[in-house]
Amino acid sequence: MTTCSNRRSHQAAPSPITASFEFFPPKSDKMAETLWQTVQRLAPLSPSFVSVTYGAGGSTRERTHRTVERILKETDLAPAAHLTCVGAARSEIDTIVKDYWDLGVRHLVALRGDPLDGIGSRYVPHPEGYAYATDLVEGVKKIANFDISVSGYPERHPESGNWQKEIDNLKRKVDAGADRIITQYFFDNDLFDDYLDRIAAAGINIPVIPGILPIHNFEQTMVFSAKCGTSIPQWLARRFAGLTNDPETRKLVGVSVACEQVMDLVDRGINDFHFYTMNRADLTFAICHMLGMGQPETKETLAA
């Protein structure tokens, strides 16, 4: 579902639940082994695609490419490669794009990218590069007809300043040729509803996929959320209170919280989700199993 105006009613027949998964490229052989175990564990769920991120400033560009290539060659999954504007000239990025097309990749996630000095520092476009995601989307579409996903922020990007600038920037990306919006993770579904209302009012009608973060480590999630502008509801903090040294209970709570969030979104008419896996299969697999993914005999009766 894309906007509030076309959400299905509670009485309508339930749509099949679909999901995509995000991974990050490994930094060591051990991490590579862990990632591949995660990929193999989640593959039977038949995700619509799996994306592979870029490190800050393109620092993992080669590892991203190798990971995407392995997924493409050794699995039946459809990989989506992240691509950013940071730290590279247009000619270099264009070469990467052409290489992906020749490899057989047909889906890119086009992002501006975090500043070279990290989130919170001032972003400075490369003097010979694509300045922003809109420019990158336009450039990619001129090279080949990729399926392009772009980012969206239900609580606004920390640098946007106000909602008008936020939605105007999103619309520019859509007008440039974006095919899909994948959102930053959030924990308050009412904020996502409000976001869809703003998108609908702006005349944006491409699919909007909510980003879901299964929480493995609440303390780390709090730190990162503060940087990226995602709010932590008090009820969520209470769920994880006192579990710092109790990983098993923390894992159960993480699955429960994410399932509650997703099921509520299903009730609101959403049927496609993007999971930030953190390269771990356990929580994401459990959540998707409870949604009926990978269970052909129960898909039709989901949410009955």
Side-chain angles (χ1 to χ4, degrees):
M1 293 295 176
T2 57
T3 65
C4 290
S5 60
N6 64 5
R7 296 175 199 159
R8 65 171 171 81
S9 68
H10 290 280
Q11 288 74 37
S15 300
I17 302 301
T18 57
S20 51
F21 306 135
E22 181 170 295
F23 307 120
F24 57 84
K27 297 181 180 180
S28 66
D29 291 342
K30 183 176 181 180
M31 291 178 68
E33 181 180 352
T34 299
L35 170 59
W36 205 246
Q37 290 172 350
T38 297
V39 170
Q40 292 175 316
R41 175 67 168 152
L42 296 178
L45 298 174
S46 300
S48 49
F49 64 91
V50 295
S51 66
V52 183
T53 68
Y54 234 36
S59 58
T60 64
R61 184 177 300 145
E62 291 302 319
R63 289 195 296 272
T64 296
H65 190 281
R66 288 197 299 269
T67 301
V68 168
E69 184 174 16
R70 187 177 183 187
I71 290 172
L72 192 64
K73 291 183 176 180
E74 299 184 28
T75 76
D76 293 327
L77 300 173
H82 282 223
L83 195 63
T84 73
C85 303
V86 179
R90 286 186 180 224
S91 58
E92 185 179 355
I93 293 176
D94 289 352
T95 297
I96 294 170
V97 171
K98 292 172 185 176
D99 286 346
Y100 274 131
W101 185 267
D102 292 342
L103 187 64
V105 175
R106 295 295 181 264
H107 185 176
L108 295 177
V109 181
L111 308 165
R112 187 203 71 179
D114 294 332
L116 286 171
D117 293 329
I119 298 175
S121 59
R122 181 170 175 267
Y123 171 73
V124 179
H126 189 286
E128 299 176 1
Y130 291 106
Y132 296 97
T134 298
D135 308 306
L136 182 58
V137 173
E138 289 178 345
V140 168
K141 284 291 190 179
K142 288 178 181 178
I143 294 172
N145 190 29
F146 279 94
D147 184 15
I148 298 180
S149 295
V150 294
S151 59
Y153 298 86
E155 299 183 67
R156 287 196 290 111
H157 190 282
E159 298 176 28
S160 64
N162 59 62
W163 273 113
Q164 188 63 52
K165 291 181 179 179
E166 179 74 30
I167 299 301
D168 286 349
N169 183 53
L170 181 63
K171 194 169 191 313
R172 283 193 292 270
K173 291 189 286 187
V174 173
D175 291 344
D179 299 286
R180 175 189 304 98
I181 298 163
I182 301 173
T183 78
Q184 174 65 276
Y185 69 86
F186 57 94
F187 299 110
D188 184 338
N189 289 349
D190 289 341
L191 294 175
F192 183 69
D193 271 354
D194 292 343
Y195 185 63
L196 293 183
D197 286 338
R198 291 185 171 97
I199 287 174
I204 296 171
N205 59 6
I206 64 174
V208 182
I209 304 178
I212 304 296
L213 177 68
I215 299 176
H216 294 87
N217 185 308
F218 184 69
E219 287 73 21
Q220 290 180 0
T221 299
M222 286 187 65
V223 171
F224 186 76
S225 297
K227 293 180 179 179
C228 69
T230 297
S231 60
I232 303 289
Q234 289 188 353
W235 65 261
L236 182 60
R238 287 195 295 269
R239 292 280 187 95
F240 286 93
L243 298 181
T244 302
N245 299 315
D246 189 347
E248 291 304 314
T249 304
R250 193 170 65 230
K251 185 183 299 185
L252 293 172
V253 172
V255 170
S256 175
V257 166
C259 279
E260 288 175 12
Q261 180 181 15
V262 170
M263 285 301 195
D264 180 64
L265 288 169
V266 170
D267 286 343
R268 298 177 189 222
I270 307 301
N271 58 17
D272 196 5
F273 302 91
H274 185 71
F275 287 93
Y276 296 102
T277 71
M278 306 306 291
N279 285 13
R280 296 176 61 174
D282 48 2
L283 269 63
T284 298
F285 186 90
I287 296 160
C288 290
H289 177 82
M290 293 179 70
L291 291 172
M293 293 182 63
Q295 305 175 57
E297 71 280 4
T298 61
K299 277 185 177 181
E300 291 77 9
T301 59
L302 178 67

